[in-house]
Amino acid sequence: SSELTQDPAVSVALGQTVRITCQGDSLRNNYASWYQQKPGQAPILVIYGKNNRPPGIPDRLSASRSGNTASLTITGAQAEDEADYYCNSRNSDSNRPLFGGGTRLTVL
Amino acid sequence: EVQLLESGGGLVQPGGSLRLSCAASGFGFSSYAMSWVRQAPGKGLEWVSGISGNGANTFYADSVKGRFTISRDNSRNTMYVEMNNLRGEDTATYYCVRTEIGDYLVLGYWYFHLWGRGTLVTVSS
């Protein structure tokens, strides 16, 4: 399959936990990565592989994968977590990357 | 400082051409694969093209294959994309991205580790 599906929008109360999901057949056999994009800024990588965070990314962000679904969990959401989040994986047949459509996270 | 700086964007007519450049600094450029990822106004991310560290392998999205050509000059720490026969749907901010590619049969990946600020390409008459 060549698609990754994300919910367009999700909201969370300040300090609560939220899960952002990404579904697609490619996730059964390939790693996912997650990108955060704030308005007017370039995306940044926040999670890659099993659950790796680049330097500077807070440990309240974590990731998991099960079957055809990858998830990004934010535990104790902060105002600065409000952003668009994109998942990414790979089409195994073509070895070409895929992006999900993005999820806009609102922190209430 | 580790940095990617895109240039070359602008307004071009449909059917026209444009060459974007990406100047890298602060890391061993030739050791890394690189990609172009674009984002149409108000839309999501779309991978456009990628190139291996030594330039031997290139990859294209179906939407640009045959129209775009990616290349790099490791002596100048610079990556390029030559865009021909541009269409309205090519209008987007184009990001230069340092990339990690795991081309494995199982558990493969493309990770986009470092992003430039982007350059806007507008295709319009």
Side-chain angles (χ1 to χ4, degrees):
Chain A
S1 173
S2 59
E3 290 188 355
L4 295 174
T5 301
Q6 297 182 242
D7 292 328
V10 171
S11 61
V12 61
L14 185 67
Q16 297 302 301
T17 297
V18 62
R19 177 174 292 180
I20 298 170
T21 61
C22 174
Q23 288 189 302
D25 286 342
S26 65
L27 293 168
R28 295 185 185 279
N29 295 306
N30 295 284
Y31 281 119
S33 55
W34 291 90
Y35 303 83
Q36 177 193 74
Q37 185 179 33
K38 296 182 179 180
Q41 297 183 19
I44 62 169
L45 175 66
V46 293
I47 297 279
Y48 63 102
K50 285 187 179 180
N51 190 21
N52 302 306
R53 285 181 300 276
I57 303 301
D59 59 8
R60 64 176 179 272
L61 274 68
S62 63
S64 59
R65 185 174 66 95
S66 178
N68 73 336
T69 301
S71 301
L72 172 69
T73 300
I74 304 176
T75 304
Q78 302 298 304
E80 58 263 34
D81 297 327
E82 188 164 284
D84 293 330
Y85 291 86
Y86 294 91
C87 64
N88 150 255
S89 185
R90 181 190 76 146
N91 183 311
S92 296
D93 295 334
S94 65
N95 189 28
R96 300 294 186 268
L98 309 166
F99 282 102
T103 297
R104 177 152 295 178
L105 176 66
T106 300
V107 179
L108 304 173
Chain B
E1 182 188 1
V2 177
Q3 187 172 265
L4 297 169
L5 185 61
E6 304 91 339
S7 61
L11 175 64
V12 61
Q13 293 188 339
S17 299
L18 210 57
R19 187 176 86 155
L20 305 183
S21 300
C22 169
S25 58
F27 65 96
F29 182 68
S30 63
S31 296
Y32 292 90
M34 298 292 295
S35 294
W36 291 98
V37 176
R38 69 185 179 184
Q39 186 171 35
K43 302 297 184 181
L45 302 175
E46 180 190 14
W47 173 80
V48 172
S49 185
I51 188 168
S52 60
N54 62 8
N57 297 302
T58 57
F59 310 87
Y60 296 95
D62 288 344
S63 58
V64 306
K65 192 178 297 184
R67 300 188 299 123
F68 288 16
T69 303
I70 192 171
S71 62
R72 64 192 296 162
D73 183 343
N74 286 345
S75 68
R76 296 177 182 271
N77 291 343
T78 303
M79 177 179 66
Y80 308 94
V81 62
E82 183 78 31
M83 305 185 295
N84 297 315
N85 192 19
L86 284 161
R87 308 165 179 167
E89 55 263 38
D90 296 318
T91 294
T93 296
Y94 285 73
Y95 295 102
C96 166
V97 193
R98 193 176 80 185
T99 304
E100 181 183 357
I101 303 172
D103 186 11
Y104 306 116
L105 200 60
V106 180
L107 296 180
Y109 52 83
W110 283 64
Y111 299 147
F112 301 99
H113 282 275
L114 177 69
W115 298 64
R117 292 188 175 185
T119 186
L120 178 62
V121 172
T122 303
V123 183
S124 175
S125 54

